[in-house]
């Protein structure tokens, strides 16, 4: 098992801040702005948040460590990493899973990113300013998503932007974009949250978010929270592993991973503060589901003072957050094609574009002409979403902690986690972290996973 990087010319992130913005950029995305708030609404508010936070810090953070450890140790793409660390074994199939899943996610992710592009244009042209009713906005959204060309246009623009950033490279594309965009994203969400919590009647929304009713916690809440934590931290599918492979040997990977989990959680809470208080202030239903951001919010924007500007900021934030995540998905497949199949970076990016574009077209049309086309009773879009968040990602995460906890040598894992013993704080917690990775995470993920399958 090689314990030192290979000699192939590979890019690294240039700075500590670059590592953080890239990892946090992957984590913070549509999951925080679109998925988290509607799950909070659907699963009863603060109780869901409480379970979610436990999932993030007790179960998912060690999994994040594990992915980054495998990436930096192997200094290879998601497929090559397992070939290198466990040569000749079946673990390469985990590598294959880690390359295929991002391709599935990026295709439907780009469709929702494309909706963001369309709604950004709508907000810049002040379409949400004239006191429209909620049913008008509902009709606007469903007629938009069920049409053929407009959503495809959004999907194409979004995927093209992703491809262009990835083609520019790890340092001058991904890292540079993140360094400018991530701080801006936080500023935007804080402005929007401040506007929302100062609306008259916002307090009820805040109570909904922060006063848990523990009787609401059941198996379905736990499984939804864990699925969301996986999705939000970009786990179980080679993304953090690939980014980990671009982290230099002197960086503290435990610190970068912990900051990533903390900033991702803060952002999800800020996004909820930007949305729920406004939903309550307008007496709307928090259990709206996936259409929350594209129906309920535009209604609020069109009826609140300064709403037209807040709408522009919100959809801009949504596009930026989605882009920094989709580039991380895209990069997993590009790194694989470049290193394992010897494509040029540009050639790989074009191939990924074509495949993700075609899959994305199927997802997009599944809201319109293909809505009756079902696989296992699901539309293509729902199948991709459920399959990845509730099945492939937890499965990938489970296998990776088993790999790090049971297949890699303990001394190698601790060596990577502590930078050869030189990071004293990491040395102090390494035994506990290793225990979580080896015993607690696999058992807990398996338990939640099976419960979700059974119930
Ligand atoms: N973490 C991203 C979000 O919350 O939107 C989604 C995501 C990105 C999932 C990258 C998986 C991934 F590999």
């Amino acid at each position: 098992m090689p314990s030192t990087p290979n000699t192939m010319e590979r890019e690294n992130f240039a700075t500590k801040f670059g590592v953080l913005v890239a990892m946090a950029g992957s984590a913070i995305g549509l999951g925080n702005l679109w998925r988290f708030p509607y799950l909070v609404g659907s699963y009863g508010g603060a109780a869901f948040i409480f379970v979610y936070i436990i999932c993030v810090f007790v179960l998912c953070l060690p999994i994040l460590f594990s992915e980054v450890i495998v990436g930096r140790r192997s200094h290879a793409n998601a497929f090559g990493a397992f070939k290198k660390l466990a040569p000749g074994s079946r673990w390469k199939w985990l590598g294959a899973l880690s390359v295929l899943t991002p391709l599935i996610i990026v295709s439907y992710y780009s469709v929702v990113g494309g909706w963001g592009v369309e709604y950004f244009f709508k907000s810049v042209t002040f379409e949400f300013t004239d006191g429209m009713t909620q049913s008008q906005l509902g009709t606007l959204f469903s007629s938009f998503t069920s049409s053929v060309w407009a959503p495809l246009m959004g999907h194409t623009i979004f995927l093209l932007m992703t491809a262009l950033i990835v083609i520019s490279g790890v340092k001058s594309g991904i890292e540079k974009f993140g360094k400018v965009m991530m701080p801006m994203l936080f500023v935007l969400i804080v402005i929007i949250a401040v506007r929302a919590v100062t609306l008259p009647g916002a307090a009820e929304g805040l109570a909904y978010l922060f006063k848990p009713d523990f009787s609401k916690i059941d198996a379905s809440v736990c499984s939804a929270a864990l699925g969301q934590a996986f999705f939000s931290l970009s786990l179980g599918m080679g993304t953090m592993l690939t980014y980990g492979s671009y982290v230099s040997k002197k960086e503290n990977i435990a610190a970068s991973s912990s900051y990533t989990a903390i900033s991702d959680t803060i952002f999800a809470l800020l996004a909820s503060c930007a949305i729920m208080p406004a939903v309550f202030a307008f007496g709307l239903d928090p259990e709206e589901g996936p259409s929350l951001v594209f129906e309920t919010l535009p209604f609020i924007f069109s009826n609140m003072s300064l709403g037209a500007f807040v709408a522009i900021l919100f959809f801009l934030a949504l596009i930026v957050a989605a882009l920094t995540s989709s580039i991380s998905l895209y990069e997993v497949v590009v790194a694989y094609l470049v290193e394992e199949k010897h494509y040029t970076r540009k050639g790989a990016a074009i191939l990924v574009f074509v495949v993700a574009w075609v899959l994305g077209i199927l997802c997009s049309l599944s809201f319109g002409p293909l809505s009756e086309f079902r696989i296992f009773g699901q539309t293509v879009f729902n199948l991709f979403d459920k399959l990845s968040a509730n099945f492939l990602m937890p499965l990938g995460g489970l296998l990776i902690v088993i790999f790090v906890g049971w297949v890699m040598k303990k001394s190698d894992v601790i060596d990577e986690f502590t930078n050869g013993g030189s990071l004293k704080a990491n040395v102090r917690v390494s035994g506990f972290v290793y225990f979580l990775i080896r015993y607690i995470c696999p058992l807990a993920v398996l338990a939640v996973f099976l419960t979700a399958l059974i119930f």
Side-chain angles (χ1 to χ4, degrees):
M1 182 192 304
S3 52
T4 46
N6 68 8
T7 46
M8 197 170 136
E9 271 297 318
R10 274 179 121 251
E11 276 193 280
N12 271 352
F13 292 123
T15 60
K16 207 189 265 335
F17 186 58
V19 174
L20 176 64
V21 290
M23 286 175 64
S26 172
I28 296 170
L30 292 171
N32 306 60
L33 277 170
W34 168 68
R35 225 166 174 278
F36 184 76
Y38 85 68
L39 288 174
V40 170
S42 312
Y43 288 96
F48 176 85
I49 297 184
F50 176 80
V51 179
Y52 174 80
I53 290 179
I54 294 181
C55 287
V56 167
F57 290 100
V58 180
L59 298 181
C60 290
L61 186 56
I63 302 178
L64 179 55
F65 291 152
S66 305
E67 284 208 19
V68 180
I69 285 172
V70 171
R72 191 170 71 164
R73 191 77 183 168
S74 63
H75 214 59
N77 63 86
F79 186 78
F82 294 99
K83 265 192 358 194
K84 218 163 170 184
L85 296 180
S89 74
R90 298 223 173 107
W91 284 99
K92 67 169 183 284
W93 294 111
L94 174 56
L97 180 76
S98 308
V99 173
L100 274 179
T101 315
L103 201 54
I104 292 178
I105 297 199
V106 80
S107 60
Y108 84 81
Y109 204 82
S110 164
V111 171
V112 183
W115 297 348
V117 172
E118 169 76 13
Y119 270 60
F120 175 69
F121 285 129
K122 283 196 193 312
S123 51
V124 183
T125 50
F126 295 113
E127 269 197 44
F128 306 130
T129 49
D130 52 358
M132 290 166 89
T133 65
Q134 211 188 358
S135 81
Q136 276 172 313
L137 282 152
T139 313
L140 186 77
F141 182 59
S142 53
S143 61
F144 160 65
T145 50
S146 61
S147 66
V148 173
W149 299 110
L152 286 187
M153 187 67 138
H155 162 54
T156 308
I157 295 174
F158 185 85
L159 199 60
L160 210 55
M161 290 194 285
T162 306
L164 290 175
I165 301 165
V166 172
I167 286 178
S168 311
V170 174
K171 266 197 213 97
S172 26
I174 299 174
E175 181 170 353
K176 220 176 191 175
F177 187 73
K179 275 182 173 165
V180 180
M181 293 300 168
M182 292 312 289
M184 177 179 113
L185 196 56
F186 269 91
V187 172
L188 286 178
I189 199 71
V190 168
I191 296 175
I192 303 166
V194 167
R195 178 68 196 102
V197 298
T198 50
L199 284 168
E204 208 190 324
L206 287 174
Y208 181 78
L209 288 175
F210 297 114
K211 272 205 191 141
D213 170 359
F214 292 109
S215 67
K216 290 204 168 133
I217 299 176
D218 60 15
S220 68
V221 169
C222 294
S223 119
L226 187 69
Q228 171 61 13
F230 264 90
F231 188 85
S232 199
L233 288 182
S234 310
L235 294 178
M237 46 184 306
T239 314
M240 291 304 189
L241 188 162
T242 305
Y243 274 7
S245 77
Y246 301 137
V247 175
S248 89
K249 287 284 176 192
K250 21 180 237 310
E251 298 298 342
N252 181 344
I253 51 179
S256 321
S257 306
S258 306
Y259 293 145
T260 299
I262 293 171
S263 47
D264 184 56
T265 307
I266 292 178
F267 195 90
L269 294 176
L270 282 171
S272 306
C273 289
I275 295 172
M276 282 306 163
V279 168
F280 278 82
F282 280 83
L284 301 172
D285 179 9
E287 295 176 15
E288 188 65 33
S291 56
L292 184 67
V293 157
F294 293 101
E295 280 180 33
T296 310
L297 273 193
F299 169 72
I300 292 168
F301 294 145
S302 74
N303 287 283
M304 77 187 204
S305 60
L306 295 179
F309 293 101
V310 180
I312 296 175
L313 300 186
F314 182 83
F315 287 109
L316 178 64
L318 189 114
I319 295 174
V320 168
L323 268 177
T324 53
S325 298
S326 68
I327 56 182
S328 72
L329 289 158
Y330 210 102
E331 176 64 22
V332 176
V333 195
V334 167
Y336 161 76
L337 289 172
V338 170
E339 289 169 12
E340 302 296 318
K341 301 287 168 206
H342 309 296
Y343 277 69
T344 60
R345 198 168 175 83
K346 197 167 166 192
I350 292 173
L351 181 61
V352 176
F353 182 89
V354 173
V355 177
W357 189 64
V358 172
L359 290 176
I361 290 176
L362 296 179
C363 291
S364 182
L365 295 182
S366 74
F367 289 91
L370 294 184
S371 62
E372 292 310 315
F373 175 70
R374 303 285 162 118
I375 306 173
F376 302 122
Q378 303 281 342
T379 63
V380 179
F381 182 96
N382 284 345
L383 181 77
F384 280 15
D385 181 24
K386 295 216 164 88
L387 185 72
S388 49
N390 297 348
F391 184 73
L392 295 172
M393 299 178 79
L395 178 66
L398 176 65
L399 292 175
I400 200 149
V401 273
I402 293 179
F403 183 79
V404 173
W406 296 87
V407 177
M408 281 178 76
K409 275 206 263 157
K410 181 174 178 185
S411 55
D412 285 353
V413 174
I414 304 284
D415 179 70
E416 203 57 52
F417 187 77
T418 61
N419 289 7
S422 64
L423 300 168
K424 295 298 169 227
N426 297 18
V427 172
R428 251 175 269 130
V429 295
S430 60
F432 177 62
V433 168
Y434 191 74
F435 172 77
L436 288 176
I437 292 176
R438 192 167 157 95
Y439 299 105
I440 304 298
C441 295
L443 286 176
V445 174
L446 195 64
V448 179
F449 197 35
L450 291 181
T451 322
L453 286 184
I454 294 165
F455 291 98

